């Protein structure tokens, strides 16, 4: 251990371990541990920067760990999708020159005032009431003389994602047309945005949304400056399915050209999940094997597994003895519970695990970087989740 990684952003006193198992057998932690690989994170950022045909911004909410933000910035990510004054302040502090896109369509007036004071470049909106608040509080031009961008967020009834983002935000095409017309008339830069829903495995969702953007801009008679195609890019959650980001990037570029021709707007994406999920693995310890049947872990749905009831189980799991020896028994599916006394604290379905696991073993779960450290709670006194750096997540 303690080899210094060059080119990766690290905390001042942080040392980097070679892989998670080296840490587990050396420290035998009793609380759950999240392992971050700066190398894996920067490689994935590079995949987006090289492959996406436009500006790549990062949706901070998916993992606001400062080392994550630092490493994305080091890889060349220069724009951030933020949703609150807290996120705005953090990005301004860590990445002072970043472009801030405040894409939470409903904001209190004091939040808008805060954003203006931090030179936010772009705001999304999905209603006339919230648009009027922006008109009243946001000057048309930024400190550097550039126009402030306002993007109308619209929604379509499209399936394909793990859950429906249109249920909370997004204007109809008619309302988006009205918003776009008013934004242009008021002297802001007019743009459009959508979010196809998180873990969206159907590329056709982007196809339908991009063509709708053309209809909206035509109906408004407004040439849109940019089209933000959202987050929603899928991550590798289960062994059998490796989603192809390149196919989605290619489709987005092709359909934008087909729909808009010469007048194509610049593209932006704002991935959260697909950028960070594979940069972290979770180690959770088996507290008990109740009568050799149910598995009780020291982490659960009030901790790093918070989105599993919504998103479904994950199966890229290996098991390790406290001495760092991998359990290799035949696969047996078991019911797995988290540590709290709440009966909803169980993983969905049954989890495939080696049959020879024992109390005190560690389960190492890959693909845990998104919506895990951010939503971890201290419910029932659990949730002491540490983050440590590793060179390599694979073991
Ligand atoms: C949550 C969110 C994202 C990120 O979504 P992922 O599915 O994690 O990629 C992007 N944009 C907006 C507006 C969001 O709310």
């Amino acid at each position: 251990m303690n080899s210094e990684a060059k080119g990766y952003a690290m905390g001042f006193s942080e040392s980097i371990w070679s892989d998670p198992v080296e840490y587990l057998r050396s420290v035998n932690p009793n609380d759950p541990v999240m392992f971050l690989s700066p190398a894996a994170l920067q490689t994935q950022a590079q995949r987006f920067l090289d492959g996406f045909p436009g500006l790549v911004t990062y949706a901070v909410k998916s993992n606001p760990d400062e080392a994550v933000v630092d490493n994305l910035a080091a890889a060349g990510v220069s724009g951030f999708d933020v949703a609150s004054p807290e996120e705005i302040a953090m990005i301004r502090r860590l990445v002072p020159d970043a472009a801030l896109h405040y894409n939470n369509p409903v904001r209190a007036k004091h939040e808008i005032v805060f954003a203006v004071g931090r030179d936010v470049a772009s705001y999304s909106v999905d209603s006339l009431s919230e648009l009027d608040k922006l008109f009243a509080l946001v000057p048309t031009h930024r400190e550097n003389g550039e126009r402030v961008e306002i993007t109308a967020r619209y929604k379509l009834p499209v399936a394909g994602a793990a859950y429906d983002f249109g249920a909370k935000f997004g204007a109809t095409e008619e309302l988006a047309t009205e918003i776009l017309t008013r934004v242009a008339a008021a002297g802001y830069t007019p743009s459009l945005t959508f979010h196809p829903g998180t873990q969206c495995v159907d590329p056709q969702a982007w196809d339908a949304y991009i063509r709708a953007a053309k209809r909206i801009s035509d109906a408004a008679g407004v040439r849109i400056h940019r089209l933000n195609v959202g987050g929603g890019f899928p991550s590798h959650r289960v062994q059998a399915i490796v989603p192809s980001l390149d196919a989605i990037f290619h489709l987005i570029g092709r359909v934008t050209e087909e729909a808009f021709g010469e007048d194509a707007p610049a593209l932006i994406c704002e991935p959260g999940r697909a950028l960070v999920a594979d940069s972290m693995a979770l180690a959770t310890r088996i507290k008990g094997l109740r009568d050799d049947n149910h598995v009780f872990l020291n982490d659960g749905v009030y901790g790093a597994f918070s989105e599993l009831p919504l998103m479904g189980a994950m199966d890229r799991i290996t098991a390790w003895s406290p001495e760092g020896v991998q359990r290799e028994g035949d696969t047996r599916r078991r019911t797995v519970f988290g540590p709290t006394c709440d009966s909803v604290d169980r993983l969905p379905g049954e989890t495939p695990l080696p049959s020879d696991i024992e109390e005190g073993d560690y389960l190492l779960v890959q693909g845990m970087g998104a919506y895990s450290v951010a939503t971890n709670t201290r419910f029932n006194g659990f949730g002491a989740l540490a983050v440590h750096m590793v060179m390599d997540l694979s073991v």
Side-chain angles (χ1 to χ4, degrees):
M1 63 167 284
N2 288 339
S3 51
E4 280 300 317
K6 293 281 180 281
Y8 297 124
M10 312 263 298
F12 283 114
S13 58
E14 183 67 69
S15 52
I16 190 159
W17 299 77
S18 60
D19 62 63
V21 174
E22 184 197 33
Y23 179 91
L24 295 175
R25 72 163 180 264
S26 309
V27 176
N28 272 201
N30 281 316
D31 290 317
V33 177
M34 197 68 92
F35 294 100
L36 168 66
S37 163
L41 180 57
Q42 292 207 25
T43 299
Q44 186 69 346
Q46 210 56 54
R47 217 167 263 152
F48 268 89
L49 291 165
D50 293 344
F52 182 77
L55 176 69
V56 177
T57 66
Y58 172 55
V60 175
K61 77 167 186 281
S62 61
N63 189 328
D65 189 278
E66 293 195 359
V68 167
V69 172
D70 284 342
N71 278 286
L72 289 173
V77 174
S78 59
F80 293 82
D81 162 31
V82 289
S84 62
E86 183 78 19
E87 289 185 354
I88 290 169
M90 180 184 67
I91 299 300
R92 270 282 166 268
R93 176 167 56 81
L94 296 177
V95 197
D97 296 332
L100 295 177
H101 296 183
Y102 191 176
N103 289 344
N104 183 343
V106 180
R107 309 164 187 85
K109 292 190 182 103
H110 74 88
E111 293 172 328
I112 299 171
V113 170
F114 186 94
V116 169
R118 302 307 184 285
D119 197 29
V120 162
S122 181
Y123 298 78
S124 76
V125 71
D126 68 352
S127 64
L128 298 177
S129 61
E130 300 306 302
L131 181 62
D132 283 341
K133 279 156 72 173
L134 293 181
F135 284 171
L137 294 168
V138 182
T140 52
H141 289 75
R142 296 171 56 196
E143 291 158 13
N144 64 5
E146 279 176 23
R147 266 178 218 278
V148 170
E149 176 180 63
I150 298 182
T151 65
R153 176 155 167 191
Y154 61 101
K155 66 175 169 191
L156 294 176
V158 193
Y163 66 88
D164 181 11
F165 265 42
K168 183 163 181 182
F169 294 126
T172 61
E173 287 188 41
E174 292 71 24
L175 180 54
T177 303
E178 173 79 30
I179 292 171
L180 198 60
T181 307
R182 291 193 193 192
V183 166
Y188 300 87
T189 294
S191 292
L192 286 171
T193 187
F194 63 85
H195 192 301
T198 201
Q199 187 71 14
C200 181
V201 292
D202 179 9
Q204 293 311 309
W206 278 277
D207 186 311
Y209 268 104
I210 292 166
R211 293 182 199 280
K214 170 66 171 163
R215 287 196 300 275
I216 294 166
S217 78
D218 282 353
V222 170
R223 184 188 177 278
I224 57 169
H225 185 66
R226 298 199 285 191
L227 175 60
N228 183 333
V229 300
F233 299 89
S235 69
H236 183 186
R237 291 181 60 81
V238 292
Q239 287 183 19
I241 301 168
V242 186
S244 168
L245 289 177
D246 282 328
I248 298 173
F249 295 156
H250 182 77
L251 176 140
I252 288 170
R254 175 177 60 75
V255 175
T256 303
E257 235 168 67
E258 274 174 31
F260 288 89
E262 295 287 281
D263 258 356
L267 292 169
I268 311 176
C269 66
E270 49 185 17
R273 177 186 305 285
L275 264 179
V276 293
D278 269 344
S279 69
M280 283 188 171
L282 172 73
T284 170
R285 195 166 205 182
I286 298 174
K287 321 174 44 161
L289 280 175
R290 193 167 61 184
D291 290 338
D292 195 33
N293 187 15
H294 295 156
V295 180
F296 281 72
L297 302 178
N298 65 356
D299 203 354
V301 306
Y302 291 97
F305 290 121
S306 67
E307 70 163 15
L308 263 61
L310 203 61
M311 300 291 299
M314 305 172 78
D315 65 1
R316 290 197 291 151
I317 302 174
T318 49
W320 301 83
S321 77
E323 295 75 35
V325 179
Q326 185 165 8
R327 300 295 183 194
E328 309 264 21
D330 293 342
T331 298
R332 173 174 161 195
R333 306 183 74 84
R334 304 207 203 209
T335 299
V336 178
F337 291 106
T340 72
C341 291
D342 189 329
S343 54
V344 310
D345 190 7
R346 66 166 281 186
L347 305 195
E350 292 190 315
T351 305
L353 296 171
S355 55
D356 53 343
I357 51 172
E358 291 181 15
E359 179 177 328
D361 283 359
Y362 295 97
L363 302 184
L364 189 64
V365 188
Q366 299 290 335
M368 287 292 296
Y371 307 106
S372 51
V373 293
T375 47
N376 178 57
T377 78
R378 299 305 306 262
F379 181 48
N380 234 175
F382 299 102
L385 181 66
V387 176
H388 291 289
M389 306 276 181
V390 291
M391 297 296 291
D392 197 342
L393 288 168
S394 59
V395 283

